[in-house]
Amino acid sequence: MDIRQPVAKGPIRTAADVHQPCHIVVPGDVITKDTGYMRGHGTYSEEDKLLASVAGVVERHNKLICAKPLSGRYNGEVGDVVVGRIIELSVKKWKVETNSRLRSVLNLASINLPGGVLRRRGAEDELMMREYLKEGDLISAEVQAVHGDGVLSLHTRSLKYGKLGQGTLVKVAPSLIKRCKSHFHNLSCGATVVLGHNGYCWISPLVSDEEAAATLAMERSGQRNMSSHAVAGDQDIDSEDRETIARLRNCIVALAARRQLIFDTSIVTAHEASLRYPAKDLIKPEIVDEINEAVLQMLHGSE
């Protein structure tokens, strides 16, 4: 048992202390009275005023104003990368849990068939659906469309998407995932990280070029239906890779505990700051604060 004495803590800094102050609003707050702005997500118009409909941070993109929730369910947008879990098979589609208000949908016509065959999906493919993806499988996908009722339509037509193999899933608030050009990262510490816009982060061993080529060859031959970033379930993961995955998992949890933005640079910096401690100690409050302080210093120095 680990027994520690209470210690006095100073004020905890966040990313808002490094960057420009955030405009935080609650539902009903007036964002602006300027009629030249366009209404975005999380806002509504009333009497020539733009008001917030959610509690969150105001974001301005040229003339577009949005209010991004600080917490809550994921609101999908077309082009977002998501990580989800198959929870049900239906008629020519899978239902996927993606941390959104409603279950997302992956249609049979929106996946790559084993072997990369391009053809219409028939009754035989419908009978083989559980061979492609079954309940409990984790996948990486892209949002193809957002329907009027809020249901997300997904696709996995690119080789970087598909079924995920061995690894660890970490769940954080969707607002903490920083939007970047790419959300698939091969880290120098020897792991691959998929940062889903929906707050689901997937950590797996780094796939070498030889293993990726072998996976691609098996995919083309119809033996597998997996992402090129995935490690097959029948492959052993050595203790060093397990240690790296566990350390990265705790680093992401530490960043989320202090509401820091999660992206490749912050994860790598947190990992480097954590190397002086065992992986199991990274969830201790004082070490969490030290890791976050190192990340903030990096962000401040890179300005």
Side-chain angles (χ1 to χ4, degrees), residues 134-150:
K134 62 181 183 297
E135 294 90 339
D137 284 348
L138 283 166
I139 63 169
S140 60
E142 182 178 320
V143 177
Q144 183 178 23
V146 181
H147 299 290
D149 56 358

Side-chain angles (χ1 to χ4, degrees), residues 132-282:
Y132 303 149
L133 295 169
K134 62 181 183 297
E135 294 90 339
D137 284 348
L138 283 166
I139 63 169
S140 60
E142 182 178 320
V143 177
Q144 183 178 23
V146 181
H147 299 290
D149 56 358
V151 173
L152 306 180
S153 180
L154 311 177
H155 82 87
T156 61
R157 293 194 186 97
S158 174
L159 287 178
K160 63 183 178 181
Y161 303 127
K163 180 180 175 181
L164 298 172
Q166 299 191 65
T168 297
L169 180 67
V170 187
K171 300 180 181 180
V172 301
S175 59
L176 298 181
I177 303 297
K178 183 178 180 180
R179 290 184 175 272
C180 302
K181 185 176 181 180
S182 174
H183 283 250
F184 293 83
H185 305 289
N186 292 328
L187 305 182
S188 57
C189 58
T192 297
V193 178
V194 182
L195 302 177
H197 286 96
N198 58 335
Y200 288 2
C201 306
W202 178 254
I203 310 171
S204 60
L206 184 63
V207 180
S208 64
D209 294 338
E210 294 78 8
E211 292 173 338
T215 302
L216 182 59
M218 298 180 75
E219 163 69 19
R220 288 176 175 172
S221 64
Q223 299 179 31
R224 291 197 187 278
N225 184 29
M226 301 183 69
S227 164
S228 59
H229 295 267
V231 176
D234 55 359
Q235 295 184 15
D236 292 332
I237 301 179
D238 57 35
S239 58
E240 183 178 352
D241 287 337
R242 292 176 185 269
E243 174 81 15
T244 300
I245 292 174
R247 182 176 296 276
L248 287 172
R249 181 263 177 196
N250 287 345
C251 287
I252 293 177
V253 171
L255 292 173
R258 297 297 180 264
R259 300 200 62 83
Q260 303 292 348
L261 288 179
I262 297 173
F263 56 108
D264 56 334
T265 305
S266 64
I267 294 174
V268 170
T269 304
H271 178 268
E272 293 174 352
S274 72
L275 292 176
R276 70 184 74 176
Y277 304 106
K280 64 183 180 66
D281 291 340
L282 300 183

Side-chain angles (χ1 to χ4, degrees), residues 85-90 93-96 103 135:
R85 187 183 296 276
I86 304 293
I87 56 175
E88 185 181 342
L89 271 73
S90 186
K93 63 184 177 182
W94 294 267
K95 292 186 178 180
V96 189
R103 294 176 178 177
E135 294 90 339

Side-chain angles (χ1 to χ4, degrees), residues 1-181:
M1 181 180 294
D2 185 14
I3 301 176
R4 292 167 291 146
Q5 295 292 331
V7 294
K9 294 183 178 179
I12 299 175
R13 295 198 302 160
T14 63
D17 301 320
V18 177
H19 302 290
Q20 60 183 2
C22 296
H23 182 188
I24 299 177
V25 293
V26 297
D29 279 358
V30 177
I31 299 177
T32 181
K33 296 181 180 179
D34 189 346
T35 58
Y37 286 99
M38 294 185 294
R39 179 172 62 89
H41 294 292
T43 64
Y44 66 97
S45 300
E46 186 177 281
E47 298 179 355
D48 296 332
K49 293 183 292 186
L50 194 62
L51 295 87
S53 61
V54 297
V57 179
V58 175
E59 294 183 348
R60 288 179 171 84
H61 305 281
N62 296 325
K63 289 294 183 178
L64 177 68
I65 293 184
C66 305
K68 186 177 181 180
L70 291 175
S71 61
R73 291 288 185 172
Y74 164 64
N75 294 318
E77 299 180 12
V78 175
D80 282 359
V81 175
V82 297
V83 175
R85 187 183 296 276
I86 304 293
I87 56 175
E88 185 181 342
L89 271 73
S90 186
V91 180
K92 293 186 178 180
K93 63 184 177 182
W94 294 267
K95 292 186 178 180
V96 189
E97 200 284 309
T98 55
N99 197 28
S100 56
R101 289 189 294 270
L102 299 173
R103 294 176 178 177
S104 303
V105 172
L106 176 63
N107 291 313
L108 178 60
S110 300
I111 69 168
N112 278 330
L113 293 176
V117 180
L118 299 176
R119 57 174 172 80
R120 279 181 175 272
R121 275 61 165 176
E124 183 180 352
D125 294 314
E126 191 172 352
L127 294 174
M128 292 286 292
M129 283 179 61
R130 197 168 263 107
E131 297 293 328
Y132 303 149
L133 295 169
K134 62 181 183 297
E135 294 90 339
D137 284 348
L138 283 166
I139 63 169
S140 60
E142 182 178 320
V143 177
Q144 183 178 23
V146 181
H147 299 290
D149 56 358
V151 173
L152 306 180
S153 180
L154 311 177
H155 82 87
T156 61
R157 293 194 186 97
S158 174
L159 287 178
K160 63 183 178 181
Y161 303 127
K163 180 180 175 181
L164 298 172
Q166 299 191 65
T168 297
L169 180 67
V170 187
K171 300 180 181 180
V172 301
S175 59
L176 298 181
I177 303 297
K178 183 178 180 180
R179 290 184 175 272
C180 302
K181 185 176 181 180

